[in-house]
Amino acid sequence: MSEEMVLSIYRGDANGGQEEEYRVPLETGMVVLDALHYVQAEAAPDLAVRWNCKAAHCGSCSAEVNGRPRLLCKTRLDQYVGQVVHIRPMHAFPIIKDLVTDVSSNYRVAKQIPAFQPRTPAPFTMYQRDVDRVQEFHRCIECFLCQDTCHVLRNHGGTDQYFGPRMMAKVAEWEMHPMDVADRRQFLKDVAGLPMCNVTRCCVDVCPEHIVITDNAIIPLKERVADQYWDPIRALFRRFHRPAEGAVPGAGSDVSSRA
Amino acid sequence: MAQPLAKGLAGRPENHGSAKVQRPWIEPAVTAVVFGLFVLYSLWEVLFHANGVYGSYVSPFFSPQVGRWLGMRNFIAIPVVWIPLFFRGTCYYYRKEYNRAWFWHPSSCAATEPSGRRYTGESRFPFSWTNLHRYFWYLAVIVLAFLWKDTISAFFFHQGFAVRLGSLLMLANAIFLTLYTFSCHAFRHLVGGGKDCNSCMLGAQAGQPTTSYRMWTRVSRWNQRHGGWAWASLISVWVVDLYIRLLIMGVIHDVRFF
């Protein structure tokens, strides 16, 4: 006879709710999402859980398992043997029902980010080494676990204060693109709330795609903002030096940093 | 080359073994205690001692001896010790550690912070001054050069070249401090992180990786262990200074290997 796991699942909506316990037989290779499907099939057909690919690619099934933001489809159940498995919706977002939250605030702030602005019309000729850096951020599946674990969004005013780590990765993806000419530093400082981040790296800890958001996106962006607003020597340098116009990667032109 | 992943992350299974019951207070508590003890020790060393030199050894708290050059009799470490203090205080790694350990913003990931606490991140003084990290890096490199001079001097005594325990401790300290300094995020940005195109060169160099790109990739690799070097160098500074202090006080004798 297989072992039985106890799941304590949050049931409720925007008006409130509480955890309710369900018992699920543990099977080999079972993930938490499988256990929730078992609960839906056997005990609570009205249990709301958002999911799609069940392969850690769509980023739909984000929730908190025993206090840690996780993808439900990528979290094996057998690691919790001997424990009650507490499953709750993401704390940083408003609850719609049970484990389903309203993540639309992320899409709202994403629209405010100054879009990719190429120096020449596509198609581009770029070298792989220049594209590698931004391709790390392309791995993002928008599960918003980083947004959920970010203490600014979680405890200090949400996306009104700081757009969050996911959005910083999105800004970095464009800001560091070799063909992009837009300058987003003032936007980062005054609108996106980059100074609200105190680089505690929780976003890196929870990212299922292992994107090193803090070190490769947020800190480089903070350094670029510091170039513009906190570095008098660079400010002096900028007064006497202007980068070459119309430079194109690989086309024999000299491209200088906007810093 | 893609940006390096944090060591061990690539290909790591999401879950392995059993999930331990979380005790989120352990890490910030240990960090808070160690940092607190180091700060108390540093205050004791800097405020209550007017000499950090024993024979060929110079304590890292007292190097370079600017206070002595200025003719100061007390607090001679003060003219220099603020540089490593602010360098570490504005360091991105230490910011993570002290924000978690001392200010509990947050105490641990996905923890709910006490309500009603005002939080302004790094947008207001004094934390906005962390943006000046690069300037403290410049100054720290100068201090590091003096530490290497002191380290070389620590192998030469009245009788000539010798290897003693103090010499080796100072050498280890200089190495850890060098690794910590040159794995810095601000240095990573300085050598090439601020550039978006690393193939944009003129003539025959077009498409070739630039020197800044090579430096950036190398510093990026060092940067993955920045936190480790931060701890190692903090402890090595502590150990070297304590060793020299105990020698000065006559509590211990220097060990000579050859």
Side-chain angles (χ1 to χ4, degrees), chain A residues 83 196 200 202 227 231 252 258, chain B residues 19 100 109 119 134 196 202:
Chain A
Q83 302 174 37
M196 292 295 281
T200 45
C202 290
D227 284 343
D231 196 329
R258 278 164 293 188
Chain B
R100 285 192 188 186
C109 296
Y119 173 80
R134 59 190 60 187
D196 294 335
L202 292 168

Side-chain angles (χ1 to χ4, degrees), chain A residues 70 74 76 79 83 129-130 151 156 195-196 198 200 202 215-216 222-224 227 231 252 257-258, chain B residues 1 3 5 15 19 92 100 105 109-110 113 119 122 134-135 185 188-189 193-194 196 198-199 202 207:
Chain A
R70 288 179 180 278
K74 207 180 175 187
R76 286 180 67 117
Q79 65 180 321
Q83 302 174 37
R129 74 177 66 87
D130 291 322
H151 73 115
H156 301 293
M196 292 295 281
N198 60 351
T200 45
C202 290
D215 299 80
N216 290 344
K222 277 180 172 273
E223 285 294 311
R224 288 175 184 224
D227 284 343
D231 196 329
S257 154
R258 278 164 293 188
Chain B
M1 191 193 104
Q3 295 199 80
L5 294 167
N15 302 311
Y92 285 101
R100 285 192 188 186
H105 280 311
C109 296
E113 296 178 27
Y119 173 80
E122 298 178 344
R134 59 190 60 187
Y135 281 97
H185 292 86
R188 184 187 182 211
H189 175 74
D196 294 335
N198 289 293
S199 307
L202 292 168

Side-chain angles (χ1 to χ4, degrees), chain A residues 175 181-190 194-195 219-239 241-243 256-259, chain B residues 92 128 131-132 134-135 138 189-190 194:
Chain A
E175 187 70 13
V181 292
D183 186 347
R184 299 171 184 81
R185 289 176 291 192
Q186 186 177 3
F187 167 80
L188 285 165
K189 182 173 81 72
D190 296 332
L194 181 62
I219 292 175
L221 291 176
K222 277 180 172 273
E223 285 294 311
R224 288 175 184 224
V225 170
D227 284 343
Q228 183 72 16
Y229 297 101
W230 288 89
D231 196 329
I233 293 176
R234 278 182 183 260
L236 195 65
F237 180 75
R238 279 195 299 272
R239 287 180 70 91
H241 179 264
R242 289 279 182 273
S256 300
S257 154
R258 278 164 293 188
Chain B
Y92 285 101
S128 57
N131 286 303
L132 297 174
R134 59 190 60 187
Y135 281 97
Y138 301 145
H189 175 74
L190 184 75

Side-chain angles (χ1 to χ4, degrees), chain B residues 17-185:
Chain B
S18 63
K20 292 177 182 171
V21 177
Q22 293 184 341
R23 291 188 180 84
W25 54 271
I26 290 179
E27 186 191 334
V30 169
T31 306
V33 168
V34 174
F35 281 7
L37 288 173
F38 183 77
V39 169
L40 289 175
Y41 176 84
S42 304
L43 289 172
W44 173 75
E45 181 68 353
V46 169
L47 298 179
F48 295 101
H49 296 99
N51 177 31
V53 179
Y54 179 83
S56 298
Y57 302 151
V58 182
S59 157
F61 279 90
F62 293 82
S63 179
Q65 299 192 68
V66 175
R68 187 139 290 169
W69 301 341
L70 295 173
M72 294 170 65
R73 292 179 179 274
N74 296 307
F75 310 124
I76 63 168
I78 298 288
V80 171
V81 80
W82 61 272
I83 294 172
L85 171 71
F86 282 106
F87 178 52
R88 287 186 191 260
T90 58
C91 164
Y92 285 101
Y93 176 75
Y94 280 106
R95 276 145 79 172
K96 169 204 159 192
E97 291 295 336
Y98 65 67
N99 275 311
R100 285 192 188 186
W102 283 348
F103 302 110
W104 288 28
H105 280 311
S107 60
S108 65
C109 296
T112 300
E113 296 178 27
S115 60
R117 294 177 67 204
R118 187 163 176 266
Y119 173 80
T120 56
E122 298 178 344
S123 63
R124 299 273 188 278
F125 179 81
F127 294 108
S128 57
W129 280 40
T130 53
N131 286 303
L132 297 174
H133 184 51
R134 59 190 60 187
Y135 281 97
F136 296 116
W137 184 87
Y138 301 145
L139 295 170
V141 170
I142 297 171
V143 174
L144 184 64
F146 280 95
L147 286 174
W148 271 106
K149 172 191 158 292
D150 295 338
T151 301
I152 293 166
S153 301
F155 285 89
F156 294 92
F157 300 86
H158 293 306
Q159 305 89 333
F161 180 81
V163 177
R164 300 184 179 184
L165 180 56
S167 318
L168 295 178
L169 288 175
M170 288 185 67
L171 178 63
N173 182 46
I175 291 170
F176 285 140
L177 282 169
T178 302
L179 290 167
Y180 170 59
T181 305
F182 289 98
S183 62
C184 170
H185 292 86

Side-chain angles (χ1 to χ4, degrees), chain A residues 209-221:
Chain A
E209 289 296 311
H210 308 306
I211 302 170
V212 190
I213 306 169
T214 308
D215 299 80
N216 290 344
I218 294 175
I219 292 175
L221 291 176

